[in-house]
Amino acid sequence: MGCFNVGLLGLGTVGTGVGQIFQDKEGRHPLLNTIALHRVGVRSLDKSRAVSIAPDQLTTDLQSIVTDPDVDIVVEVLGGLEPARTLILEAIAHGKHIVTANKAVISRYGEEIFTAAGQAGVYVMIEAAVAGGIPVIQSLKQSLGANRISSVIGILNGTTNYILTQMQQSGRSFDAILAEAQRLGYAEADPTADVDGLDAGDKIAILASLAFGERIKLEDVHREGIRTVSASDIAYADKLGFVIKLLAIAKRPSDRPSDSATAPDTLQIRVHPALVPKTHPLASVNDVYNAVLLEGEPLGQVMLFGPGAGAGPTASAVVSDIINVAALLQTGQAGSETSVTSMHPLLACSHHSYSAVEPITELNTRFYTRFLTKDHPGVIGKLGTCFGNHGVSLESLVQTGFQGDSAEIVVVTHAVREGDFRAALDEIQSLESIDSVSSLLRVL
Ligand code: HSE
């Protein structure tokens, strides 16, 4: 058996998890015994660490790892766009296989990285980039290949799922729970990427490209976060039989209206909070857990559930990818003689074009919305007329109480084109008797 060398870039949370698996190989896959953690790149040599690495293996010179002739596989767990992107490209140029947990780099620079990798005959493995320890990437690449996938719906961000779960269970506000999550170290000091839906956007772009076989431009992914979800909305949703979740959705819709101008193979890709029926499989995915519900023909539905972040779960995905590359090296499907034509077709990237993505205004969905109105005769009639003018049909309408002098009215619509719904809302907002549209959420 040959022996393969890993160069690890980064010894933070995930890198430490990887180091710990390498220090404790017993009972894991035997191929792991053929792989050595050769060099480890860190920012500072002085830091105390939860994994012991020999001083002569540690370096702050990350570039020396990606150019090291003895390194076969470069594992990038630095996070962030740079220097991660440049180091990955340089490693590829030096013939190294890549294992990365970096969804931000892959979702933005996938074309550049996979094209370079294809030309160099090396693999870029990304299991850890989406949903941490949940094996969704290999499931899409290998296990579900027989299916025509019609939808991928994920809870892909643990921070926001934790915040929404805590809001649901305690009745407290977004700001209060976020502050507590930051104090406990569950949320980042700068929570933007998580709470504004950007992290989930990167992840669903990657899943969509694997599920539907074409690249996705990140700017085509509609992304909304959870800052506007209020304790009142969670309470109303609860009474109506829903929980609110941040969903990442990629779909090839089969339910487009017959007069839709959208081409049939156009995808919907979106991240936003949504009301999820309490009976739906994703409704009971709580706290920091992630889940991905895949639907395909002939399979039907399959849901993958598990820890979406953290040292152990993410390292599980990283090390499994390292083992996959070692297996390819062992069997001669990777190495100095490998060219793009001889790469393993299920593990190399096979996407070359970009998918068309539908604008959010063309989405056909149900809406939940909450209005504050004057408590006057005829207000509900005016609301109904404005909705009717734009073809919006109401499923339910309840006047639930008061906030100060304003009456609070909650409406759930039947499925409607989003552009038509927003045109109705514009008209409603211009009514003298409407004080505000307090919230607007889609319903799954
Ligand atoms: N920040 C992410 C989350 C984990 O909260 O799920 C890393 O992708």
Side-chain angles (χ1 to χ4, degrees):
M1 270 197 198
C3 189
F4 311 111
N5 282 330
V6 167
L8 178 63
L9 303 177
L11 201 54
T13 305
V14 179
T16 300
V18 171
Q20 286 168 339
I21 293 177
F22 270 89
Q23 278 180 358
D24 176 21
K25 291 181 174 174
E26 202 183 316
R28 308 188 199 279
H29 198 286
L31 259 182
L32 202 49
N33 295 318
T34 69
I35 310 166
L37 202 50
H38 182 63
R39 294 183 74 196
V40 181
V42 291
R43 227 173 259 143
S44 156
L45 295 174
D46 302 329
K47 215 171 141 185
S48 72
R49 304 184 188 278
V51 62
S52 91
I53 306 284
D56 63 340
Q57 287 180 287
L58 279 178
T59 176
T60 55
D61 182 0
L62 304 190
Q63 218 205 357
S64 72
I65 294 183
V66 301
T67 55
D68 183 336
D70 292 334
V71 166
D72 304 290
I73 305 166
V74 166
V75 175
E76 185 277 309
V77 289
L78 298 165
L81 295 180
E82 288 294 352
R85 168 184 158 270
T86 302
L87 288 166
I88 289 172
L89 287 168
E90 203 167 346
I92 290 170
H94 282 82
K96 317 297 180 199
H97 303 283
I98 306 293
V99 173
T100 178
N102 199 323
K103 75 230 101 188
V105 163
I106 294 299
S107 62
R108 282 163 189 75
Y109 303 112
E111 177 174 3
E112 184 182 26
I113 288 170
F114 285 106
T115 302
Q119 284 163 359
V122 299
Y123 295 90
V124 177
M125 307 292 278
I126 60 169
E127 185 64 71
V130 180
I134 301 177
V136 63
I137 300 287
Q138 288 306 340
S139 296
L140 283 168
K141 277 187 178 175
Q142 303 210 44
S143 315
L144 298 173
N147 289 275
R148 266 186 223 111
I149 304 288
S150 52
S151 78
V152 180
I153 308 180
I155 292 176
L156 299 179
N157 183 267
T159 306
T160 45
N161 204 38
Y162 172 82
I163 292 171
L164 291 172
T165 305
Q166 293 300 313
M167 287 175 73
Q168 170 95 31
Q169 290 173 355
S170 71
R172 292 160 67 208
S173 70
F174 169 80
D175 289 331
I177 303 287
L178 173 62
E180 182 181 274
Q182 285 173 317
R183 254 197 326 277
L184 295 170
Y186 296 161
E188 304 276 349
D190 176 2
T192 309
D194 293 320
V195 303
D196 291 336
L198 311 179
D199 172 80
D202 291 347
K203 292 168 178 170
I204 196 67
I206 293 170
L207 292 187
S209 69
L210 292 170
F212 299 107
E214 285 187 301
R215 293 192 168 125
I216 306 297
K217 290 204 173 85
L218 194 55
E219 59 268 28
D220 289 344
V221 179
H222 178 85
R223 289 162 286 176
E224 289 174 33
I226 63 163
R227 288 184 203 263
T228 55
V229 176
S230 69
S232 296
D233 294 319
I234 290 187
Y236 282 125
D238 183 57
K239 281 191 201 132
L240 292 164
F242 297 96
V243 291
I244 298 181
K245 295 286 182 194
L246 182 69
L247 297 184
I249 300 175
K251 252 183 165 182
R252 199 188 291 287
S254 58
D255 55 353
R256 283 200 177 98
S258 52
D259 59 350
S260 169
T262 307
D265 58 352
T266 304
L267 299 179
Q268 272 176 14
I269 312 183
R270 51 196 165 102
V271 174
H272 53 73
L275 272 70
V276 178
K278 286 180 187 172
T279 50
H280 191 279
L282 289 169
S284 52
V285 175
N286 284 327
D287 291 313
V288 294
Y289 282 98
N290 283 193
V292 189
L293 182 68
L294 301 153
E295 189 156 353
E297 183 281 322
L299 172 72
Q301 289 187 332
V302 66
M303 188 163 102
L304 306 172
F305 165 87
T314 312
S316 156
V318 166
V319 176
S320 301
D321 271 350
I322 296 172
I323 292 171
N324 276 325
V325 175
L328 294 166
L329 287 163
Q330 191 99 78
T331 55
Q333 293 170 87
S336 52
E337 298 307 311
T338 309
S339 69
V340 65
T341 48
S342 61
M343 290 179 78
H344 190 305
L346 297 181
L347 296 176
C349 176
S350 56
H351 310 150
H352 302 293
S353 57
Y354 281 91
S355 178
V357 177
E358 183 177 82
I360 194 74
T361 46
E362 294 305 312
L363 176 66
N364 204 43
T365 186
R366 291 158 74 205
F367 285 94
Y368 155 101
T369 186
R370 187 161 54 90
F371 299 97
L372 293 180
T373 75
K374 302 276 184 307
D375 189 25
H376 289 164
V379 172
I380 287 182
K382 284 181 191 158
L383 275 179
T385 303
C386 289
F387 278 131
N389 289 344
H390 295 275
V392 181
S393 170
L394 302 186
E395 182 181 292
S396 68
L397 182 151
V398 268
Q399 179 169 343
T400 47
F402 288 88
Q403 272 198 29
D405 290 338
S406 298
E408 197 163 37
I409 295 175
V410 171
V411 165
V412 177
T413 72
H414 286 296
V416 55
R417 191 182 148 270
E418 178 148 347
D420 293 338
F421 180 77
R422 289 195 180 267
L425 273 193
D426 286 347
E427 195 176 320
I428 288 168
Q429 275 173 311
S430 69
L431 295 175
E432 182 276 327
S433 48
I434 301 296
D435 293 333
S436 66
V437 178
S438 296
S439 49
L440 172 64
L441 293 163
R442 298 174 189 84
V443 180
L444 184 63

